[in-house]
């Protein structure tokens, strides 16, 4: 990182008359004069900079990004695994990247075939009957899935079902999606071992239950061992089971949501199937359904006619469209490329390796960090802060100090089950050396917390910015030069 350029805006580097290129006079007459009302009163305020300044400015800015390609990224629940470059090459393939979403089906048969093939692969991996690939994110998939569930109940004239049961360990998107879908959210408590309390669930089950949403393994990384019993209970009262597939990664090659009793689910392709997804995008949240629910999936859908041609259809019974096109196509291509390049054998290894790595890190650090849930975890686990709380060093401080050592922080203060949650997901793509270095650094931070707590409380000290005011940044984002000038004048 070059401090000469860091933190300056391109406008501040501007000098009147500076140019990046000299355009020779080509002798052409100037364009006809614009009508007066279209002519600006003042010249636009554009930066005037030379080419090296532009290149250095943007290159230095790009170096301030942390990514899976620059370091270990154990952000729990986000599955920040390494994204093989072959996927990028495939997503950029000119045969696909040049297509227009509105092209007639007859001219995009290959793209439609890939859509169908990926849907079929996802059905195989998840134990579902059909997938739509149209939703753009996990949360978008949840909304779509809940709309499918409502359409199912309504098709049976069962209109009073408006309740969605969500465990207290659930990701915030679950209750949010249920609310956006117009349903009532009811929370069910977890047992001390982190799994759903069946006895607390029982009284919630009645003829108003539309669905129960579950993540398995749950957000604490614990496999819900009673899932089949829970599914039977929910089905008995006429509700459907929704699987939040954000934690599908450790299940790859081990178990399928369809076999656990789930009826509707989404997959976060950007998590489990390897698309770079820092900073909120891009993503894809395909929704799968078990047999008997296919007709409720959204439009448009890709079908195959008797001659083997792919067509784009909008069936009558479908719930309408939830996206303008057939999904976030480049993300779909990366997922398909990832599946093919791993193959069945590679895919079967991914889940168990992710769980092995998580357990290795957990067992290596549990003498220094408080482990609230014991036993074998799946792909991720949660510490409840440092074991020694007497120093006043919090989870936030530990997370900030990790930045000084070049690691991305784990997820903090989620799940809400514990006060000092520090949620670590190493993923299967990390080497033992990387995991060992992370363990070593986490040990060092625990020792620093005991010996020099103020150092940890003041971290990070090695990053370009130390502790920005996150809340102010979210409430009053300064995203344009005009915003900045206004903020400076305030
Ligand atoms: C990431 C995540 C979601 C939401 O997925 P997005 O693709 O970010 O919308 C839902 N549930 C869990 C458990 C998650 O980790």
């Amino acid at each position: 990182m070059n401090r000469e350029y860091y933190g300056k805006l391109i406008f501040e580097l501007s000098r009147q008359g500076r140019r990046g290129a000299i355009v020779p006079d080509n002798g052409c007459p100037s364009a006809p004069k614009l009508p007066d009302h279209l002519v600006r009163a003042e010249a636009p305020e554009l930066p005037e900079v030379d080419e090296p300044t532009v290149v250095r400015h943007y290159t230095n800015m790009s170096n301030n990004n942390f990514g899976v390609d620059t370091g270990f990224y154990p952000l729990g629940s986000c599955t920040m695994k390494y994204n093989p470059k072959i996927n990028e090459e495939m997503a950029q393939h000119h045969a696909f990247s040049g297509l227009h979403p509105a092209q007639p089906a007859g001219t995009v048969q290959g793209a439609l075939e890939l859509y169908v093939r990926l849907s079929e692969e996802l059905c195989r991996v998840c134990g579902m009957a059909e997938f739509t690939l149209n939703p753009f994110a996990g949360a978008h998939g949840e909304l779509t899935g809940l709309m499918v569930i409502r359409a199912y109940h309504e098709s049976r004239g069962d209109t009073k079902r408006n309740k969605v049961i969500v465990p207290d360990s659930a990701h915030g998107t679950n209750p949010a999606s249920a609310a956006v879908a117009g349903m009532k959210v009811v929370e069910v408590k977890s047992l001390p071992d982190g799994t759903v309390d069946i006895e607390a669930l029982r009284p919630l089950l009645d003829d108003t239950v539309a669905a129960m949403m579950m993540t398995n393994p749950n957000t604490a990384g614990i496999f819900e061992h009673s899932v089949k019993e829970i599914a039977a209970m929910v089905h008995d009262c006429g509700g459907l089971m929704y699987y939040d597939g954000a934690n599908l990664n450790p299940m790859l090659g081990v178990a399928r949501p369809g076999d656990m009793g789930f009826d509707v689910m989404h997959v976060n392709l950007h998590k489990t199937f390897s698309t770079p997804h820092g900073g909120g995008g891009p993503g894809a949240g395909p929704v799968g359904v078990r047999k008997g629910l296919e007709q409720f999936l959204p439009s448009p859908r890709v079908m195959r006619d008797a001659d083997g041609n792919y067509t784009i259809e909008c069936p009558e019974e479908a719930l309408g469209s939830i996206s303008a096109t057939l999904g976030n196509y480049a993300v779909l291509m990366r997922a398909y490329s990832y599946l093919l390049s791993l193959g069945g054998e590679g895919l079967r290894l991914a889940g168990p390796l992710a769980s092995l790595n998580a357990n290795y890190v957990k067992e290596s650090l549990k003498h220094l960090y408080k482990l609230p849930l014991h036993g074998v975890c799946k792909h991720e686990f949660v510490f409840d802060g440092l074991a020694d709380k007497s120093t006043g060093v919090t989870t936030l401080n530990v997370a900030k100090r990790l930045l000084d050592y070049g690691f991305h922080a784990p997820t903090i203060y989620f799940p809400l089950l514990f006060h000092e949650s520090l949620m670590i997901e190493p993923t299967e793509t990390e080497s033992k050396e990387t995991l060992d270095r992370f363990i070593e650094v986490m040990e060092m931070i625990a020792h620093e917390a005991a010996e020099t707590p103020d150092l940890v409380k003041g971290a990070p000290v090695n990053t370009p910015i130390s502790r920005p005011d996150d809340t102010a940044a979210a409430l009053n984002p300064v995203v344009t030069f005009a915003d900045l000038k206004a903020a400076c004048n305030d």
Side-chain angles (χ1 to χ4, degrees):
M1 211 259 323
N2 188 328
R3 288 190 186 268
E4 195 56 38
Y5 293 88
Y6 175 71
K8 291 208 172 116
L9 293 156
I10 192 84
F11 289 91
E12 293 174 282
L13 300 169
S14 177
R15 294 294 175 273
Q16 203 176 3
R18 249 330 122 85
R19 288 287 173 272
I22 299 166
V23 184
D25 183 357
N26 60 7
C28 291
S30 55
K33 201 169 173 302
L34 286 171
D36 279 345
H37 72 281
L38 292 178
V39 178
R40 285 176 180 275
E42 279 170 45
E45 223 179 318
L46 297 177
E48 300 180 68
V49 273
D50 52 284
E51 183 171 322
T53 300
V54 175
V55 169
R56 287 174 192 158
H57 177 72
Y58 286 108
T59 306
N60 280 299
M61 276 218 308
S62 75
N63 287 345
N64 287 329
N65 274 341
F66 190 95
V68 170
D69 285 358
T70 53
F72 183 48
Y73 207 141
L75 192 67
S77 210
C78 295
T79 311
M80 304 304 273
K81 60 169 91 174
Y82 172 74
N83 310 293
K85 296 301 162 236
I86 179 84
N87 304 342
E88 292 304 313
E89 275 174 46
M90 292 302 116
Q92 284 164 24
H93 196 289
H94 63 88
F96 292 93
S97 62
L99 300 180
H100 191 279
Q103 246 171 276
T107 67
V108 290
Q109 287 292 299
L112 298 181
E113 179 173 343
L114 188 144
Y115 185 101
V116 170
R117 284 201 201 181
L118 176 58
S119 315
E120 288 170 356
E121 287 303 327
L122 292 177
C123 287
R124 240 195 296 278
V125 171
C126 300
M128 291 284 139
E130 190 162 335
F131 261 92
T132 172
L133 309 183
N134 300 5
F136 291 124
H140 196 197
E142 290 169 24
L143 175 63
T144 306
L146 290 167
M147 288 166 75
V148 166
I149 288 171
R150 193 174 46 207
Y152 160 78
H153 290 310
E154 280 175 2
S155 77
R156 296 155 42 96
D158 198 354
T159 50
K160 63 178 174 306
R161 293 191 181 268
N162 70 338
K163 190 156 95 180
V164 174
I165 301 174
V166 177
D168 58 3
S169 64
H171 193 271
T173 51
N174 291 186
S177 302
V180 172
M183 303 202 188
K184 202 174 115 206
V185 180
V186 179
E187 197 176 88
V188 59
K189 294 226 165 323
S190 298
L191 290 166
D193 74 356
T195 61
V196 169
D197 182 349
I198 292 196
E199 290 318 312
L201 174 64
R202 213 177 292 282
L204 304 178
L205 298 174
D206 57 28
D207 62 0
T208 66
V209 172
M212 168 144 182
M213 299 179 87
M214 276 179 88
T215 312
N216 197 17
N218 61 31
T219 59
I222 307 289
F223 188 81
E224 297 276 359
H225 47 84
S226 303
V227 63
K228 285 187 119 169
E229 192 182 343
I230 292 171
M233 287 163 64
V234 171
H235 287 150
D236 275 350
C237 84
L240 296 186
M241 288 292 287
Y242 184 89
Y243 182 81
D244 173 345
N247 290 351
L248 183 67
N249 207 49
M251 295 291 98
L252 292 176
V254 179
R256 309 189 307 168
D259 301 331
M260 298 177 203
F262 289 97
D263 306 288
V264 182
M265 66 174 291
H266 77 261
V267 181
N268 303 60
L269 289 188
H270 43 293
K271 294 179 181 172
T272 314
F273 296 102
S274 155
T275 280
H277 61 283
V287 169
V289 293
R290 68 154 163 76
K291 210 163 171 38
L293 296 171
E294 303 93 324
Q295 64 271 32
F296 304 113
L297 286 172
S299 303
R301 286 165 67 186
V302 182
M303 311 272 195
R304 203 167 183 190
D305 68 18
D307 301 329
N309 296 317
Y310 295 97
T311 59
I312 301 173
E313 308 288 340
C314 297
E316 275 286 299
E317 277 182 284
L319 54 80
S321 67
I322 42 87
S323 54
T325 59
L326 289 166
N328 207 345
Y329 202 82
V331 177
L332 307 184
M333 290 198 64
R334 289 186 185 97
Y336 190 60
S337 162
Y338 177 72
L339 277 162
L340 286 194
S341 56
L342 275 188
E345 212 173 313
L347 208 60
R348 271 189 291 279
L349 272 177
L353 267 180
S355 299
L356 178 65
N357 284 356
N359 280 287
Y360 178 62
V361 175
K362 168 170 71 70
E363 291 301 311
S364 306
L365 288 171
K366 69 179 187 188
H367 61 299
L368 293 169
Y369 292 84
K370 183 174 169 199
L371 184 67
L373 303 174
H374 293 271
V376 178
C377 66
K378 294 294 173 214
H379 63 310
E380 65 191 1
F381 62 93
V382 184
F383 282 134
D384 188 6
L386 281 157
D388 176 6
K389 298 268 188 292
S390 69
T391 62
V393 172
T394 62
T395 277
L396 177 70
N397 300 145
V398 173
K400 294 284 186 193
R401 186 63 176 149
L402 274 170
L403 308 181
D404 277 334
Y405 290 103
F407 290 121
H408 195 284
T411 294
I412 57 172
Y413 300 109
F414 177 79
L416 307 176
L417 299 173
F418 316 107
H419 286 298
E420 289 288 321
S421 284
L422 185 72
M423 187 191 197
I424 299 174
E425 179 181 7
T427 83
E428 72 277 16
T429 57
E430 297 303 327
S431 67
K432 179 157 182 300
E433 288 71 27
T434 301
L435 299 181
D436 284 338
R437 174 66 185 151
F438 178 72
I439 291 164
E440 189 187 332
V441 165
M442 287 289 282
E443 286 170 348
M444 282 197 297
I445 295 174
H447 294 134
E448 286 174 353
E451 284 147 26
T452 49
D454 286 341
L455 171 68
V456 187
K457 289 178 190 170
V461 293
N462 297 332
T463 53
I465 296 175
S466 182
R467 290 203 181 196
D469 183 339
D470 311 351
T471 315
L475 291 177
N476 304 305
V478 175
V479 291
T480 67
F481 192 50
D483 285 345
L484 182 74
K485 281 212 291 199
C488 294
N489 289 338
D490 277 351

